[in-house]
Amino acid sequence: MHLTLHLTARCNLRCSYCYDSDHQGGNMSLDTVMSAMAMSQQSSPANGSIGIVFYGGEPLLRRELIAETVRLCRAIKARTGQQFHFKMTTNGILLDEVFLTHPDTGKVQIALSHDGVRDAHDAHRVDRAAQGTFDRLSPKVDLLLAHRPDSLAMAVVTPATVSYYAESVAYLFQRGFRYMHCSLDYGARWTQAHLAELRREYRKLARWYWQATTRQEQFYFSPLDTKIASHVNPGSCFAERCDLGRHQVSVAPNGRLYPCVQFVGDGTDDTYAIGDVATGIDPSPLERIANQASMEGESCADCAIRARCDHYCGCLNKQATGRVDQVSPVLCAHERIVLPIADRLAERLFRRSPAFVSKHYQDPRWGVHAR
């Protein structure tokens, strides 16, 4: 079983779309980490690799605990042969060369939250004084990619920044990112005008994708690549979901267990808690939540694109509507916008680009499984 360790609820930023904007809930202890490791080992095959994701708040506020966790895993490996791999999601402001090169943290893969061009990034990703962080993050991007050229850029698109979407993706690519994950703020108020702008931006992004691919560039851009993969690998939208605590569990700072990062909060909400590190997962609430998330509304059950749609993700539903079984109308609109654009793009590239065929049919580094 893979673990997402919420090392702290504290954060040095105050991003306006953050789903944990209160940043209450304290810090995780090493004892909690050790208990989580023991729990994970009991439910993981000895010949597999346990994935550890360092999360927050801002995990770099607990960089020593990250190093202690890596050392703990190294000791477990020496004793049992158990393999581990490490990732971290960070806003990047506290990144430095020491963290990226130290023996205890130098192998941690990085997912950097970055919303693209200045106007898009500074619209929401601000510090406690409500000041934008684009300029402070810029040198960190150079440092990160110098040491981790395969790092993932994670961007959020909101109604206020949708007009910068294509420009922001091109900017992140120009900076050197080759893995880019972009998602909408589904909980925001999207009007029909915003959705029309979103369609125009995806058409621009399809042209950018075409040009980059025909130049033989190698990259992964989640909104288009996942939809293309849903044709190449039918059912991948369903298979690639987080599956609500069955394979990956979020551990709150206080040790309580939740089926996804969207549910953790300050670690005191019983609604979606599925146990704690001391006693392990309670199968009863896990089954209840999973069954609730698997229920489809009538509109989804009869939809022609249901097998290629992200409505399967209970975590995304929770973020957008507050319920794991209720799909956001904005998500529905997004899927109907992006899917035909992705299909037209893929049809053209399949006929004309060997690099595209290799990417989606032969090379796993760049397909939907890449991140």
Side-chain angles (χ1 to χ4, degrees), residues 213-253:
T213 302
T214 54
R215 291 197 306 267
Q216 310 298 311
E217 300 276 10
Q218 293 181 311
F219 63 94
Y220 173 79
F221 173 56
S222 63
L224 295 179
D225 279 321
T226 54
K227 292 309 171 195
I228 293 169
S230 71
H231 171 78
V232 177
N233 302 297
S236 60
C237 282
F238 178 81
E240 290 300 309
R241 68 179 186 169
C242 68
D243 211 14
L244 284 175
R246 297 192 186 278
H247 302 292
Q248 180 112 11
V249 171
S250 279
V251 184

Side-chain angles (χ1 to χ4, degrees), residues 110-228:
I110 306 293
L112 180 71
S113 296
H114 196 316
D115 285 351
V117 295
R118 182 192 303 275
D119 287 340
H121 186 87
D122 283 352
H124 300 290
R125 302 197 63 79
V126 299
D127 61 18
R128 296 177 183 178
Q131 298 300 306
T133 57
F134 180 89
D135 287 334
R136 277 172 281 176
L137 187 57
S138 187
K140 307 294 186 177
V141 171
D142 294 329
L143 179 67
L144 171 62
L145 293 176
H147 292 281
R148 303 278 200 291
D150 61 344
S151 292
L152 174 69
M154 302 180 65
V156 176
V157 181
T158 75
T161 62
V162 64
S163 60
Y164 302 108
Y165 192 0
E167 184 183 0
S168 290
V169 171
Y171 168 79
L172 292 171
F173 187 81
Q174 179 269 325
R175 288 301 305 268
F177 287 104
R178 290 301 178 266
Y179 292 93
M180 294 167 287
H181 185 282
C182 300
S183 59
L184 300 193
D185 178 6
Y186 290 106
R189 293 187 61 184
W190 290 80
T191 66
Q192 289 301 312
H194 292 134
L195 293 173
E197 183 68 23
L198 180 65
R199 188 186 304 273
R200 288 190 289 271
E201 290 298 300
Y202 269 125
R203 288 171 176 161
K204 294 179 187 176
L205 284 162
R207 290 193 290 272
W208 167 83
Y209 190 112
W210 165 272
Q211 293 165 358
T213 302
T214 54
R215 291 197 306 267
Q216 310 298 311
E217 300 276 10
Q218 293 181 311
F219 63 94
Y220 173 79
F221 173 56
S222 63
L224 295 179
D225 279 321
T226 54
K227 292 309 171 195
I228 293 169

Side-chain angles (χ1 to χ4, degrees), residues 60 63 92 94-101 140 143:
L60 282 175
R63 58 195 298 158
L94 300 176
L95 267 180
D96 58 26
E97 191 154 7
V98 172
F99 183 89
L100 292 169
T101 59
K140 307 294 186 177
L143 179 67

Side-chain angles (χ1 to χ4, degrees), residues 296-309 311-312 332 335-336 339:
E296 285 188 319
E298 292 183 6
S299 59
C300 290
D302 296 332
C303 181
I305 65 169
R306 62 182 292 273
R308 303 178 65 190
C309 173
H311 78 286
Y312 289 112
C332 184
E335 301 297 276
R336 293 177 181 275
L339 188 59

Side-chain angles (χ1 to χ4, degrees), residues 16 77 125 129 131 133 158-159 187 256 286 349 359 365 369:
S16 58
K77 178 182 177 182
R125 302 197 63 79
Q131 298 300 306
T133 57
T158 75
R256 296 195 80 187
L286 177 59
L349 285 168
K359 173 181 179 178
R365 292 178 303 161
H369 301 284

